[in-house]
Amino acid sequence: MESWSTFGGDLHLDLTGRRAGGLGLRAALEDALRTAVQDGRLTPGTRLPSSRALGGDLGIARNTVVEAYVQLTAEGWLTSRQGAGTTVADRPAPPAPAAAPTAPAPGPAVRYDLRPGRPDLSLFPRAAWLAAARRALTAAPNEAFGYGGPLGRIELRRALAGHLARVRGVRTDPERILVCSGHTQGLGLLCGALRERGATALAVEAYGLAPLRGVVAASGLRRVALALDEGGARTRLLDGSGAGGVLLTPAHQFPTGVPLPASRRSAAVEWARRTDGFVIEDDYDGEFRYDRQPVGAMQALDPERVVYSGTASKSLAPGLRLGWLALPRELAAPVARLKVLADTHSGVLDQLTLAELITSGTYDRHVRRCRLHYRRRRDRLVAALAERAPGVRVTGVAAGLHAVLLLPPGGPAEAELMARAGAAGLAVGGLAECRDEAAGPGDGSPQGLVIGYGTPPEHAFEGALDALCGLLGRL
Amino acid sequence: MESWSTFGGDLHLDLTGRRAGGLGLRAALEDALRTAVQDGRLTPGTRLPSSRALGGDLGIARNTVVEAYVQLTAEGWLTSRQGAGTTVADRPAPPAPAAAPTAPAPGPAVRYDLRPGRPDLSLFPRAAWLAAARRALTAAPNEAFGYGGPLGRIELRRALAGHLARVRGVRTDPERILVCSGHTQGLGLLCGALRERGATALAVEAYGLAPLRGVVAASGLRRVALALDEGGARTRLLDGSGAGGVLLTPAHQFPTGVPLPASRRSAAVEWARRTDGFVIEDDYDGEFRYDRQPVGAMQALDPERVVYSGTASKSLAPGLRLGWLALPRELAAPVARLKVLADTHSGVLDQLTLAELITSGTYDRHVRRCRLHYRRRRDRLVAALAERAPGVRVTGVAAGLHAVLLLPPGGPAEAELMARAGAAGLAVGGLAECRDEAAGPGDGSPQGLVIGYGTPPEHAFEGALDALCGLLGRL
C-alpha cells in the first residue's frame, strides 16, 4: 500500500515507480513527498502521519521514514517541532515552473542560406580536432585543468604569437596576447578598458556587423560613424571625432570588402598617437585572401597603438567562441583585469587543442584547404552572376567569405529584393542592415545584397546560386 | 649576395634563412624588408633601390622585387610615387614591442598547497572526457559548430535539467537553463540583470569567496553583508537591507561549511517574494556531501524567486569554465540578452561533451568516485588533527572540499599562523581573507584557517597533513 489518509483524503505516494526508476527506498519516499508538497497535494500546515504510522502504511521500516522526514525538514519542505510532530512547512505554494516559451512562429522555410558571417560548417575538421585534443589533453600537466591566469594558456599564446607573426605580420609576444570568447568578448573588454581611461565614444565604420553595435553600446560608449568611400573608412574624419578609439576592418571591410589603403592606415595610427587613442583591428577573415598575398596586419605599424583582434570563427567554427587580442602594453593590464571579472579566463581544453593544431601544422593545412574551397565558390558566384545577372556589380571579392552585389539604379530596391528572396526560400543579407544607426538615415545610400557564399554546405551551393541568379537575372 | 648599399651602408637582408624556414622567395623578401623597417634599419624617407637594381644585387628576378614592393606599399610600410621611386613610408618608427613583463619575484616555494577552492586536478577524467568528446563530436549536426542561441546547446540543457532534478531537486526545464563560463560569469550576468531592474545593492554573506566581490562591484551593485552565526547567514537581516537580491551558499556555506537551515531558507524566499527580489543560490560543491543525503537545492522552494547556479569547477575542473544557471522566468530573457552581449554564447564543444558525459552515466560515476576520494581525505584530516593537534576545532566538514580549523583563544593569531605556514612552504587559506570588507572591521571575529583538503594530489597529501599538524600541534 502506498497511500495514507490525510484531512483531504488518501494521498498516493508512488514508491514502486520511483524504485523501478533506480531510487533507493528512502530516496523514493523523499522524492514522493517532495513532489506532493510541490504540486500542492500536501498543503502547508498539513500534519504528516507519525513515522511509525506511515512506515506501517507503506510497509517500510520506521527508521526510513524518520530519515526522510529529517532530510525534507533540512531542505525546508517540512517543519518538525518537539511534541507537535511533522507538518508541511508553512509557506505559500510555489508557482509551478513555467512552461517553455512558445517557439516563434516559423517564417517561410529557408531553403538556401546565403547570409554572410558564417563559414561552411561542414568544413570543421572533426577528426583532426579530436586527434589534436587527444594529444593535447594527454600531454597537459594537471595544473592546466585548474584556475589559470586571465591571458589564457601559455601553449596557445606561444603558438598564436608565432602564427600571427608569420601569416599576418603581427608584432607581439605571448605576454601580450589574451585569449577570449570570440571577437564579441574581446571588443567588450576593450570598450570597457577605453571607458576606464575616460573615453566616451568609439569611432566605427558606417557599415559593419550589426551585433557588435550592441556590444559597444552596452559598454556605455557612444558610436561615431566614419563614412565609407571606395577606399574604405574615411579615417581623416577621426580628427575632431572625440573618440577614444576606432574599430576598423582593415584587411577586408565588412561588408564592402575594400582593404584599407596604406595612407588611411597611417592616418588612423597617427591619429591614435596624437590623441592617445587606440585602433582596434578586427581581422575577422584575414586568412582568406585569394588574388594576391594577404595584406599584412595594420597592427605591425604600431603595436602600441593598434590592438589586433583575431578569431577562429571563420577559419574553424563560430561555435568554438575562440578569439585573441594582441594588446598594446598600456591596455594589457586593464583588459586582463576585466577578463578576470568577466569569466576568470577562457576554457582551457579548446585552447590546448588549438595550440596543438597550430604547432603541428594541421591548422595551416586546414586553412589552405578552406581557402581553396572558398576561392572556388567565389569564382563560381562571380561567373554565374556575370553570365546570368549582368545587371549587378559584384565587389569586395578579393578576400573573405562574402560579396556585395550592387543593384542597378532604376530596378527594385534592396528591401524589395530581400523580400522576394525570402519568399523564395533564399536568405540573403542587405547593405541596409549593416548600416550603423549612428551614421544617420541612409537615404541615397547604395543598394546592395550581401552574399555569404561560404555559408551553404557544398551540396546546396549550386541550388543557392540558381536561386540567386533567378532573383537577380531580370534586373 | 643579400645586401645593398644605402646612405647608411650595406643593408643585409637574410633571405636564405627565411627560405630555409619555409618561405617562398617573394615572401622572404617581403619579410626581410618589413623587419628592416620595423627594427629601424630602414628609416622613413629612405629611398629603396630600383627593382632592377635590387633584383640584381640579390640575384633574384626583378618582378619578384616589384611584387614585394607593391605588397609592402599596400601594407603601409613603403610609399611609391610615379617618378619618385619607392621609399620607406614617412612615419615615426614604431616603438619596439615591449618586453614580456618580468615575472613577480617568487616567494618561498609552495611545497604543499592546502588552499581551498580547487579540486584534486589529477582526478580530471581525461580518458572518459576524450571518449565522450569523440562520441559527441561525431554525432553533432553541422549547425552545432555555428553561432547558436545564448542559452547554450540544447543537448546539455536537457541533460542538466534531468541531472539537476535528480541529484539536487532543482525544478527547471531546458528553456530556463543558461550555460555560462563558470559561476563568475553567471553572477556577473545576474548582477547586470538586477541592475537593469533598478537594484542598487546585493546582499551577500559576510564571509565568502573573495574574487566574487569584485564581480559584484564591477556590475555597479553595492554589497550589503549579512552577518553569520552558527546557523549560517542571518537571513532576517535582509529586511530593510534595500538589496535587490541575495547571494547565498545554502548547501555548504563558504567558508564556514554550515548548511542553511530550513527556517532561513524560507525566510530568504519570503523576503524575495515580498520585495520582488531574487535569491542567487551558489551551489558550488553541492555534489559533495558525505554524512547524509545531500540537502536539496533551495531553488525548489520557489523556482521563480531562486536562481540556481551550478558549476563543473569542483566536480570536473575549474579550467573548463563551465557553469549553468536555472533561471526564473522573469530573469531568463534579460540574462540571455546580457549573455549575447558578453560573448554570444559559451563554446559548444565542451558543452556537447559534458552532455554526453551526463547522459551516458559517466559523470555520475565520476562524481561518486570523487566523493569517496574526498571523504577519505576528509576522514584522514579529521583523524590526524584530533590526534596531533587537539587544540583546534574542525568544522564544516559534512560536505565539500574544505574545512575550517578554528584556533584556540590565547594562541597565535590567524595571520601569524599563516605566515608561519608560508615560511614552511605550506599554503593555506584564512578566515580573514574571506571576510567581506562590506561587513566592516573584523575585530573579535573568529580566527581560523581554511583548509582545502581536496587540493593536493594524492602523493602529496600525507606530507601536507604532516606539515599542517606540525604547524598546529603545539597550539
Side-chain angles (χ1 to χ4, degrees):
Chain A
M1 191 186 125
E2 296 190 352
S3 58
W4 88 79
S5 289
T6 66
F7 295 111
D10 276 3
L11 182 79
H12 178 71
L13 298 172
D14 175 14
L15 302 191
T16 313
R18 287 181 167 84
R19 299 215 57 192
L23 289 185
L25 189 52
R26 189 182 71 179
L29 177 59
E30 287 172 16
D31 190 56
L33 286 169
R34 206 184 276 117
T35 305
V37 179
Q38 279 174 3
D39 63 18
R41 284 178 298 147
L42 277 176
T43 49
T46 303
R47 183 167 171 166
L48 272 67
S50 72
S51 52
R52 183 186 308 271
L54 184 58
D57 279 0
L58 299 177
I60 62 180
R62 178 190 169 183
N63 231 26
T64 305
V65 180
V66 170
E67 287 170 0
Y69 281 5
V70 167
Q71 172 66 22
L72 293 171
T73 302
E75 293 180 16
W77 300 106
L78 306 180
T79 56
S80 203
R81 254 164 316 169
Q82 200 70 34
T86 301
T87 53
V88 177
D90 188 18
R91 52 191 181 73
T102 47
V110 173
R111 276 188 72 195
Y112 297 114
D113 191 349
L114 285 173
R115 283 173 294 192
R118 204 151 58 81
D120 180 349
L121 300 172
S122 71
L123 296 184
F124 183 76
R126 302 187 191 205
W129 182 271
L130 282 165
R134 175 168 300 277
R135 292 193 302 271
L137 261 69
T138 307
N142 280 335
E143 57 87 13
F145 300 100
Y147 291 104
L151 299 182
R153 286 301 300 177
I154 183 64
E155 295 90 337
L156 179 57
R157 291 184 286 119
R158 278 204 198 105
L160 283 172
H163 173 79
L164 295 174
R166 194 163 42 79
V167 305
R168 307 293 296 122
V170 170
R171 299 163 62 202
T172 188
D173 63 66
E175 298 308 315
R176 309 281 289 280
I177 291 180
L178 181 135
V179 180
C180 51
S181 245
H183 178 63
T184 299
Q185 186 182 47
L187 179 61
L189 297 174
L190 289 166
C191 287
L194 293 179
R195 282 274 288 169
E196 286 182 358
R197 301 176 84 248
T200 57
L202 181 76
V204 299
E205 296 165 327
Y207 288 77
L209 204 58
L212 298 181
R213 303 205 271 272
V215 175
V216 177
S219 77
L221 290 175
R222 188 169 47 85
R223 297 190 309 287
V224 180
L226 300 180
L228 300 180
D229 61 19
E230 301 208 331
R234 294 178 53 201
T235 48
R236 296 281 168 208
L237 300 174
L238 286 168
D239 290 315
S241 69
V246 57
L247 173 63
L248 296 172
T249 49
H252 188 232
Q253 204 279 329
F254 186 89
T256 64
V258 186
L260 194 66
S263 58
R264 296 191 179 185
R265 293 175 174 231
S266 300
V269 170
E270 292 290 351
W271 167 82
R273 288 180 183 148
R274 211 165 45 237
T275 60
D276 193 27
F278 292 94
V279 177
I280 303 171
E281 176 177 25
D282 178 2
D283 197 44
Y284 64 104
D285 66 1
E287 278 154 323
F288 297 114
R289 177 157 285 274
Y290 309 119
D291 297 335
R292 48 173 187 154
Q293 286 281 52
V295 178
M298 181 170 168
Q299 185 264 6
L301 290 178
D302 191 343
E304 296 303 336
R305 283 292 150 199
V306 184
V307 184
Y308 177 87
S309 175
T311 173
S313 291
K314 304 297 175 288
S315 58
L316 283 167
L320 279 175
R321 310 306 308 128
L322 262 182
W324 39 86
L325 303 175
L327 291 160
R329 187 183 345 214
E330 198 176 329
L331 292 182
V335 169
R337 207 165 47 233
L338 291 172
K339 175 71 176 168
V340 168
L341 296 172
D343 56 12
T344 316
H345 58 79
S346 287
V348 297
L349 301 192
D350 291 344
Q351 292 188 56
L352 293 170
T353 303
L354 180 56
E356 168 65 27
L357 219 54
I358 293 174
T359 52
S360 66
T362 311
Y363 182 76
D364 274 345
R365 281 192 296 279
H366 170 71
V367 168
R368 275 200 299 276
R369 198 164 63 90
C370 293
R371 193 184 293 130
L372 191 64
H373 176 79
Y374 293 129
R375 185 168 61 189
R376 286 199 190 116
R377 288 260 179 110
R378 192 267 319 248
D379 293 346
R380 285 163 71 188
L381 171 75
V382 170
L385 290 170
E387 187 187 327
R388 297 160 62 188
V392 302
R393 189 155 71 85
V394 184
T395 69
V397 291
L401 311 178
H402 71 271
V404 172
L405 313 189
L406 292 170
L407 304 177
E414 175 185 321
E416 161 68 17
L417 269 180
M418 288 181 69
R420 284 190 206 167
L426 176 68
V428 297
L431 281 178
E433 67 204 14
C434 298
R435 186 177 169 89
D436 196 313
E437 310 85 56
D443 312 335
S445 302
Q447 302 270 306
L449 302 184
V450 186
I451 297 298
Y453 53 80
T455 309
E458 189 57 27
H459 65 83
F461 188 61
E462 197 62 39
L465 269 190
D466 282 346
L468 184 67
C469 290
L471 180 74
L472 301 176
R474 291 180 299 274
L475 303 187
Chain B
M1 189 185 126
E2 295 190 351
S3 58
W4 87 79
S5 290
T6 66
F7 295 110
D10 277 4
L11 183 80
H12 178 71
L13 298 171
D14 175 16
L15 303 191
T16 313
R18 288 180 165 85
R19 299 216 57 194
L23 290 184
L25 190 51
R26 189 181 71 178
L29 177 59
E30 286 172 17
D31 190 56
L33 287 168
R34 206 185 275 118
T35 305
V37 179
Q38 280 174 3
D39 63 20
R41 285 178 295 146
L42 277 176
T43 49
T46 304
R47 183 166 170 166
L48 272 68
S50 73
S51 52
R52 181 186 309 272
L54 184 57
D57 279 359
L58 300 176
I60 62 181
R62 176 188 171 183
N63 230 26
T64 306
V65 181
V66 171
E67 287 169 1
Y69 281 5
V70 167
Q71 173 66 20
L72 293 171
T73 303
E75 294 179 14
W77 299 104
L78 306 180
T79 56
S80 202
R81 255 164 317 169
Q82 200 69 34
T86 301
T87 54
V88 177
D90 188 17
R91 53 190 180 73
T102 45
V110 173
R111 276 189 72 196
Y112 297 114
D113 192 349
L114 285 174
R115 282 172 295 190
R118 203 150 58 81
D120 180 351
L121 300 172
S122 72
L123 296 184
F124 183 76
R126 301 188 192 205
W129 182 271
L130 283 165
R134 176 167 300 276
R135 292 194 302 272
L137 262 70
T138 307
N142 280 334
E143 57 86 15
F145 301 99
Y147 291 104
L151 299 182
R153 286 302 299 177
I154 182 63
E155 295 90 337
L156 178 58
R157 291 184 286 119
R158 278 204 198 106
L160 283 172
H163 174 79
L164 295 174
R166 194 163 43 77
V167 304
R168 306 293 297 122
V170 170
R171 299 163 62 202
T172 187
D173 63 66
E175 298 309 314
R176 309 280 290 278
I177 292 180
L178 180 135
V179 180
C180 52
S181 247
H183 178 63
T184 300
Q185 185 183 46
L187 179 61
L189 298 174
L190 289 167
C191 287
L194 293 180
R195 281 275 288 169
E196 286 182 359
R197 300 174 83 249
T200 58
L202 182 74
V204 299
E205 295 165 328
Y207 288 77
L209 203 58
L212 298 181
R213 302 204 271 273
V215 175
V216 177
S219 76
L221 290 176
R222 187 169 46 86
R223 296 191 310 285
V224 180
L226 300 180
L228 301 181
D229 60 20
E230 300 209 331
R234 295 179 53 202
T235 47
R236 294 281 168 207
L237 300 175
L238 286 168
D239 290 316
S241 68
V246 57
L247 174 63
L248 296 172
T249 49
H252 188 232
Q253 204 280 329
F254 187 88
T256 63
V258 187
L260 194 67
S263 57
R264 295 191 179 185
R265 292 174 177 232
S266 300
V269 170
E270 293 288 353
W271 167 82
R273 287 179 184 148
R274 212 164 45 235
T275 61
D276 194 25
F278 291 94
V279 177
I280 303 171
E281 176 176 25
D282 178 2
D283 197 44
Y284 65 103
D285 65 2
E287 278 153 323
F288 297 114
R289 177 159 283 273
Y290 310 120
D291 297 334
R292 50 174 187 156
Q293 285 280 55
V295 180
M298 180 171 168
Q299 185 263 6
L301 290 179
D302 191 343
E304 295 304 336
R305 283 293 150 200
V306 183
V307 184
Y308 176 87
S309 175
T311 173
S313 290
K314 304 297 176 287
S315 59
L316 284 166
L320 279 176
R321 310 307 308 128
L322 263 182
W324 39 85
L325 303 176
L327 291 160
R329 187 182 347 213
E330 197 176 331
L331 292 181
V335 169
R337 205 164 50 232
L338 291 171
K339 175 71 174 167
V340 168
L341 296 172
D343 57 11
T344 315
H345 58 79
S346 288
V348 297
L349 301 192
D350 291 343
Q351 291 189 58
L352 293 170
T353 303
L354 180 57
E356 170 64 27
L357 219 54
I358 293 174
T359 51
S360 66
T362 311
Y363 182 75
D364 274 345
R365 281 192 297 277
H366 170 71
V367 168
R368 274 200 300 275
R369 197 164 64 88
C370 293
R371 194 185 292 132
L372 191 64
H373 176 78
Y374 292 130
R375 185 168 62 188
R376 286 199 189 117
R377 288 261 179 111
R378 193 257 333 235
D379 293 346
R380 285 164 71 187
L381 171 75
V382 170
L385 289 170
E387 187 188 327
R388 298 161 61 187
V392 302
R393 190 155 71 86
V394 185
T395 69
V397 290
L401 311 178
H402 71 271
V404 173
L405 313 189
L406 291 171
L407 304 177
E414 173 185 324
E416 162 66 18
L417 268 180
M418 287 181 69
R420 285 190 206 168
L426 177 68
V428 297
L431 281 179
E433 67 203 16
C434 298
R435 187 177 169 88
D436 196 313
E437 310 85 59
D443 311 335
S445 301
Q447 303 270 305
L449 302 184
V450 186
I451 297 297
Y453 52 80
T455 309
E458 189 57 28
H459 66 84
F461 188 60
E462 198 59 41
L465 270 190
D466 283 344
L468 184 67
C469 290
L471 180 74
L472 301 176
R474 290 179 299 274
L475 301 188

